Amino acid sequence: MVRKGHVLVIPYPAQGHVKPLMHLSLRLSFLDFKVTFVNTEFNHKRVITSANHPIDSSVSLVSISDGLGFEDDRTDIAKLCESILNTMPEKLEELIRDINIKGLKKGDEDGVISCVVADGYMGWVRNVADKLGIKVAVAWPSSAAMFSLLQKVPQLIDQGYIDHQGFTTNKQILELSPRIPPFDTQNFPWNSFGDSNSQKKTMFKYLKKTLEDSLQTEWILCNSAFLLEHGSFSLSPTLSPIGPLMTPISPNQNSAAQFWKEDPTCLKWLDQQPHQSVIYVAFGSFTIFDQTQFEQLALALQLTNKPFLWVVRPEITQNQKYPDGFEPKNGRIVGWVPQHKVLSHPSIACFVSHCGWNSTIEGISNGVPFLCWPYFGDQFLNKGYICDSWRVGLGLEKDEMGIIRKEELKGEIEQLIGDKSIKERCLKVMKIMRNNVEEGGDSFTNFSKFIKWLEG
């Protein structure tokens, strides 16, 4: 089969980045492009180990070092980013040269990489592609609002919201546009990646630089929809919305995008539950609760007396214990799930979520109401969209100790499930998302234009 070109795709090494870029890769492969997907060695091992079924062979999986040992702590994101910058550019260049040399030796034009698609948080890839004379595009896996915020960093410094190292002097509310949720400056993304000033400075520098590099590419694809974030896209016209990127081409496709082994039996359990009755609880790949908060969440789920599906990552229960008297007789606790299939299941009533962008996109694309519990990064901004702009969810209040108590959780869950107006708005947003990827929709049109550029 003659391929239209060879595209190398490289995500930032985190679950929430690997997943949407793999979905993009599968779409490119379906359209007859040869695709090579580059994980770090650490994450490559995780996705191979976690696969429940043979991995789809339409995308070639390769890996390079991130500069850290397998035993190193990658939850220290500042340390990981420093290691990425020190190690991966050289390793990526070596990989591309090796792939291209092998392709030329075989006389295989499909073997030579014609384009690199880099995660927007790996903007340094542009320099490697430019050096090798290969065209490059960026895939932005977060919201357009997050991009707009980073794009405005020079003005934020000039206006005194932050200093040149990203630090805020006091709590302020920033409004980029009346059509974008306001930002609490204390929740700027770089302020939540670590506790020390050194970590925060490193993250601010990394995010600022990667955005500058991304802006110098011809295509910046965004996993969003124009009507969903029209205010942000108006501020950042260089972004091309192509979202939502979330579903495999075929239902049984194993995309090799998960860091934990999915538990498919939860779907059979959902089949046995009444329509719109189940509380789905999942906090992504990074969120960690202390023991008190973990107990309060468990007890709140028990108090609702409703069926619940709670995702507790395998490493969480090594440090946290379920409270005395907790009996999940109405619920099911699993280590990881096929989330899109869960959220599209008719038994799901609501989604208690950390508001990561992938989870946000998957939830609204399936018409599911949110109970928002942001943890770090862009999640506070996403909560603003969910609760204030789209009005498809509710927030939670912490007590004077910074804990969300079981009574608060139980009350908000019951209010959310009982609010018919929220459900009506959820269905309207779901329709917007689905229409965007159908022929004639903005995302469909943008993606088609991108494909023509790739073919040129």
Side-chain angles (χ1 to χ4, degrees):
M1 180 179 66
V2 177
R3 296 284 193 170
K4 295 178 180 178
H6 186 173
V7 182
L8 182 140
V9 179
I10 179 166
Y12 177 84
Q15 176 69 87
H17 296 248
V18 169
K19 188 175 180 180
L21 266 74
M22 177 55 76
H23 289 321
L24 174 61
S25 298
L26 290 168
R27 292 187 183 280
L28 293 175
S29 175
F30 181 75
L31 293 172
D32 295 331
F33 288 90
K34 181 179 175 66
V35 182
T36 296
F37 194 88
V38 185
N39 272 312
T40 61
E41 292 171 349
F42 182 80
N43 287 340
H44 179 79
K45 181 178 179 181
R46 296 182 76 181
V47 297
I48 297 299
T49 303
S50 298
N52 283 327
H53 305 288
I55 293 171
D56 190 291
S57 60
S58 63
V59 174
S60 298
L61 303 180
V62 299
S63 63
I64 57 177
S65 173
D66 61 9
L68 297 176
F70 273 78
E71 72 286 350
D72 287 330
D73 178 15
R74 286 168 174 79
T75 61
D76 184 341
I77 300 177
K79 179 181 177 182
L80 174 60
C81 286
E82 283 186 314
S83 185
I84 286 172
L85 291 175
N86 291 333
T87 305
M88 292 187 74
E90 180 181 350
K91 297 297 183 183
L92 179 63
E93 181 180 341
E94 290 175 0
L95 174 68
I96 294 174
R97 289 187 186 279
D98 184 55
I99 290 173
N100 287 348
I101 288 171
K102 288 179 180 177
L104 289 171
K105 282 184 177 179
K106 293 179 180 178
D108 177 16
E109 291 186 8
D110 293 342
V112 178
I113 293 166
S114 53
C115 180
V116 176
V117 176
D119 190 307
Y121 292 83
M122 302 281 270
W124 54 266
V125 172
R126 179 190 62 83
N127 300 312
V128 176
D130 287 350
K131 182 178 180 180
L132 298 174
I134 302 171
K135 61 184 180 181
V136 61
V138 160
W140 185 254
S142 303
S143 68
M146 178 67 171
F147 188 93
S148 297
L149 173 64
L150 293 175
Q151 195 173 6
K152 291 288 184 181
V153 160
Q155 291 95 315
L156 297 182
I157 294 173
D158 291 341
Q159 294 166 8
Y161 284 100
I162 56 175
D163 62 21
H164 287 274
Q165 296 178 323
F167 293 120
T168 55
T169 54
N170 49 49
K171 178 182 175 70
Q172 298 181 72
I173 302 299
L174 168 67
E175 189 177 77
L176 291 179
S177 161
R179 294 178 294 177
I180 300 175
F183 296 81
D184 181 339
T185 57
Q186 292 185 330
N187 288 333
F188 278 156
W190 50 87
N191 288 332
S192 59
F193 289 105
D195 299 322
S196 71
N197 285 343
S198 174
Q199 289 173 310
K200 293 174 183 178
K201 284 192 293 185
T202 297
M203 288 311 305
F204 176 72
K205 182 179 178 182
Y206 184 91
L207 291 172
K208 181 173 178 288
K209 182 64 168 63
T210 199
L211 195 282
E212 291 169 354
D213 284 328
S214 293
L215 284 170
Q216 297 181 55
T217 58
E218 189 172 346
W219 278 91
I220 310 176
L221 310 171
C222 183
N223 185 21
S224 186
F226 180 79
L227 290 176
L228 193 68
E229 295 191 83
H230 49 89
S232 297
F233 284 112
S234 298
L235 282 181
S236 304
T238 54
L239 283 176
S240 296
I242 62 166
L245 286 170
M246 60 177 192
T247 54
I249 302 302
S250 63
N252 297 319
Q253 199 168 41
N254 192 330
S255 64
Q258 302 297 338
F259 290 179
W260 292 272
K261 190 178 290 292
E262 295 175 337
D263 183 347
T265 64
C266 67
L267 299 173
K268 294 181 180 179
W269 179 83
L270 287 173
D271 289 340
Q272 301 167 11
Q273 310 309 313
H275 181 70
Q276 292 188 2
S277 66
V278 176
I279 304 163
Y280 174 53
V281 186
F283 297 101
S285 56
F286 274 103
T287 304
I288 297 174
F289 293 131
D290 64 21
Q291 180 62 33
T292 300
Q293 187 62 86
F294 186 77
E295 289 181 2
Q296 290 294 308
L297 171 56
L299 293 171
L301 293 174
Q302 184 168 270
L303 280 173
T304 64
N305 202 31
K306 297 179 183 298
F308 62 86
L309 177 62
W310 184 10
V311 179
V312 181
R313 300 191 311 274
E315 71 272 18
I316 295 297
T317 50
Q318 295 174 11
N319 301 312
Q320 264 86 43
K321 297 188 180 352
Y322 294 102
D324 293 339
F326 175 64
E327 296 180 6
K329 57 185 178 181
N330 292 328
R332 187 173 179 89
I333 299 173
V334 296
W336 202 247
V337 298
Q339 182 162 280
H340 174 66
K341 292 180 179 179
V342 167
L343 287 169
S344 63
H345 198 283
S347 71
I348 296 297
C350 68
F351 185 8
V352 183
S353 171
H354 66 307
C355 305
W357 189 244
N358 282 321
S359 291
T360 299
I361 287 290
E362 289 178 341
I364 62 175
S365 295
N366 286 291
V368 179
F370 279 80
L371 188 57
C372 299
W373 195 334
Y375 180 65
F376 78 151
D378 64 339
Q379 296 162 13
F380 297 96
L381 170 60
N382 301 339
K383 176 196 171 186
Y385 266 138
I386 292 167
C387 295
D388 304 324
S389 297
W390 311 325
R391 296 187 299 145
V392 294
L394 301 174
L396 292 161
E397 295 293 333
K398 296 180 179 180
D399 68 6
E400 65 278 1
M401 302 298 293
I403 299 295
I404 297 173
R405 294 289 169 183
K406 60 182 183 295
E407 296 83 6
E408 165 75 2
L409 271 164
K410 175 180 178 291
E412 292 300 313
I413 288 171
E414 290 174 347
Q415 182 181 342
L416 181 65
I417 293 175
D419 194 323
K420 293 182 179 179
S421 63
I422 288 181
K423 184 61 180 177
E424 288 173 358
R425 287 191 291 271
C426 286
L427 296 177
K428 288 180 181 178
V429 175
M430 178 182 73
K431 187 175 181 180
I432 288 172
M433 295 301 286
R434 294 188 176 183
N435 287 345
N436 264 277
V437 293
E438 294 178 356
E439 188 168 357
D442 290 327
S443 293
F444 182 94
T445 300
N446 288 330
F447 191 66
S448 298
K449 290 178 180 177
F450 172 65
I451 293 303
K452 288 182 179 178
W453 176 81
L454 274 182
E455 292 172 341

